[in-house]
Amino acid sequence: MIGWLIALTVVTGLGIAGGIGWSKLSKEHREARSLPLNAVDFSKLNDGTYHGAYAGGMYKWRANECQVAVSSGKVTDIQLVASKDPGGKNTQHKELYDRVIQAQTLQVDTISGATLTSKAYLQAVENALVPAQHD
Amino acid sequence: MLLETRLVAQTTHYAMGTVMTHKAFGLYAEDSLAAVSREVARIEGLLSRFLPDSDISRVNGSAGIKSEKVGLETYEVLSKAVEFSRFCPGCFDVTIDPLVTLWHIARESFAQPDAFSIQQVLPLVDYRDLILDPWEITAGLRNVGQAVDLGGIGKGFAGDKILEVFKQFDISSAYSNLGGNVVTLGAKPDGSPWHVGIQHPRQENKIIGSVSVSNQTVVTSGDYQRYFTDCQGKRHHHILSPTTGYPAESGLISVSIVSEKSLAADALSTILFVAGMEKGLELLRNLPQTEAILVDSDLQVYVTQGLRYCFQVVEGVEVTFLG
């Protein structure tokens, strides 16, 4: 009888653990899919150097951290401070950063003919600039 | 500033095989964006040739057998696509799918398709074989193996529909960027126009200039957006000529159309890209309120007369104003 009870407890425990695991994994996927890049008003930035980090979802796969310099109300420099990319081989973020700098110095709202595919790097840039805004 | 114009919402999501960003100002900005995402998914469900239950997949699946009932909107898009195929035969063809598929397979194996396969597939590309019945609202393809591809027009249609959604939510200032197709509603909340950058066709992190627009759409077709390099190191881009069966080589590497309707701008950017500068500009002359920014293979930028005062060039880029 006790044996059966133990077996039942173990099976129930595994079931619950599996259910929790699955729900967390699907939550991670949902988060990655719907990563919002919300408004930073580039016309309202205070000068200074700001740090921004994106935790990169539950398993930190896309975690990265950046430093954004604002001078005369414009973003003048963005540096990647830390990322999950071990050897720093991926240079995709540099192009994205350049695009952020260029986009706001030319004051464009959006770009026709460009297809942005990497949102995680932009997310950290944006997180850095949120506290830089004034009313 | 009015309270309602200070309420802003922005979202980025993946749909129709690309990344989309929408930004809206207004009391119901947040709700409008949720509705916009739903609308895009709905349109994709009608027009995608990758979704097995879409109207287009059913039409393609019954090619050479029978016509299929389609939704009114699908019928409208197909009619417009035929109209544009007729507008410049040999530049644009709604039945280009067999060629696209052939090049897609080639892309997977990093080799250009052999001339024989292309010659075999070319006769299947003929918009005159798409039979549309306005009474029954059906669409059908005459021959087995033929297929419709709305790649050059579907996102444009979605752009027009998004503007309708924004209006339903009382939004008077918004833009959407559908993987490089930009549509704008009204001007910015402060009354100034939207500044839409034009992607530099050879330098990924640069633009060649920007155009100031309100209530207009800016759609760009370029050889740099989707391409593959074969074993010999030759680059093949994704805009195919329905005449030759190969990626179009008209001397233009990027064409942006600025106009009011996004569907038309989407089709026209492809048409001008394939037609080339001379023929393209001639086609444009017959179309009211349609302007273009063209870039040739020497990276010389040509801008039509109507954009003279709303196109701003980036330092170091050479521009010629036409007309």
Side-chain angles (χ1 to χ4, degrees), chain A:
Chain A
M1 183 63 192
I2 289 176
W4 278 111
L5 264 179
I6 291 171
L8 191 67
T9 316
V10 168
V11 168
T12 318
L14 281 174
I16 292 170
I20 293 171
W22 175 249
S23 77
K24 290 208 166 172
L25 197 65
S26 57
K27 190 179 153 207
E28 162 84 20
H29 284 166
R30 258 202 315 280
E31 185 187 324
R33 266 204 306 273
S34 62
L35 200 57
L37 289 171
N38 287 319
V40 162
D41 191 341
F42 281 83
S43 62
K44 293 174 181 165
L45 299 178
N46 287 324
D47 288 0
T49 304
Y50 302 90
H51 272 269
Y54 172 56
M58 198 170 61
Y59 299 114
K60 321 288 178 211
W61 286 331
R62 296 175 299 280
N64 74 99
E65 205 180 324
C66 69
Q67 181 180 303
V68 181
V70 179
S71 155
S72 308
K74 298 253 182 238
V75 174
T76 50
D77 186 43
I78 306 173
Q79 293 291 334
L80 185 66
V81 183
S83 86
K84 277 280 167 187
D85 180 24
K89 288 186 209 79
N90 191 347
T91 56
Q92 192 186 20
H93 65 278
K94 291 200 181 104
E95 287 162 7
L96 284 170
Y97 291 172
D98 282 348
R99 204 178 278 180
V100 170
I101 294 169
Q102 177 135 29
Q104 53 96 42
T105 49
L106 275 149
Q107 291 177 319
V108 296
D109 298 296
T110 188
I111 299 174
S112 175
T115 43
L116 275 187
T117 46
S118 177
K119 290 190 282 170
Y121 288 119
L122 289 175
Q123 186 71 64
V125 172
E126 187 181 285
N127 291 352
L129 290 174
V130 168
Q133 289 179 106
H134 57 80
D135 285 326

Side-chain angles (χ1 to χ4, degrees), chain B residues 177-321:
Chain B
N177 190 333
L178 298 82
N181 283 20
V182 177
V183 292
T184 62
L185 177 67
K188 284 198 255 190
D190 66 3
S192 67
W194 299 101
H195 298 293
V196 180
I198 307 293
Q199 173 66 37
H200 192 296
R202 288 294 174 264
Q203 282 165 284
E204 215 183 326
N205 54 352
K206 272 193 172 174
I207 58 174
I208 54 165
S210 82
V211 57
S212 308
V213 293
S214 43
N215 277 323
Q216 279 169 309
T217 176
V218 187
V219 180
T220 303
S221 286
D223 68 352
Y224 58 90
Q225 286 160 333
R226 280 179 193 179
Y227 63 88
F228 75 97
T229 312
D230 68 19
C231 314
Q232 274 88 46
K234 188 170 163 35
R235 234 169 85 143
H236 305 277
H237 65 78
H238 77 299
I239 307 173
L240 302 170
S241 157
T243 314
T244 64
Y246 288 86
E249 287 184 43
S250 67
L252 294 176
I253 60 171
S254 166
V255 174
S256 302
I257 298 288
V258 182
S259 69
E260 276 175 12
K261 289 284 175 205
S262 192
L263 181 146
D266 204 0
L268 287 169
S269 65
T270 310
I271 289 173
L272 262 72
F273 184 95
V274 177
M277 178 92 92
E278 200 180 328
K279 193 173 172 193
L281 288 174
E282 204 180 305
L283 290 167
L284 218 54
R285 248 171 246 135
N286 305 318
L287 299 166
Q289 281 147 6
T290 308
E291 304 293 336
I293 300 153
L294 311 134
V295 185
D296 71 11
S297 47
D298 296 327
L299 290 172
Q300 178 74 39
V301 178
Y302 299 87
V303 177
T304 55
Q305 187 65 24
L307 294 177
R308 177 173 282 270
Y309 300 108
C310 35
F311 183 76
Q312 204 188 357
V313 70
V314 164
E315 241 182 74
V317 173
E318 295 229 1
V319 179
T320 307
F321 287 96

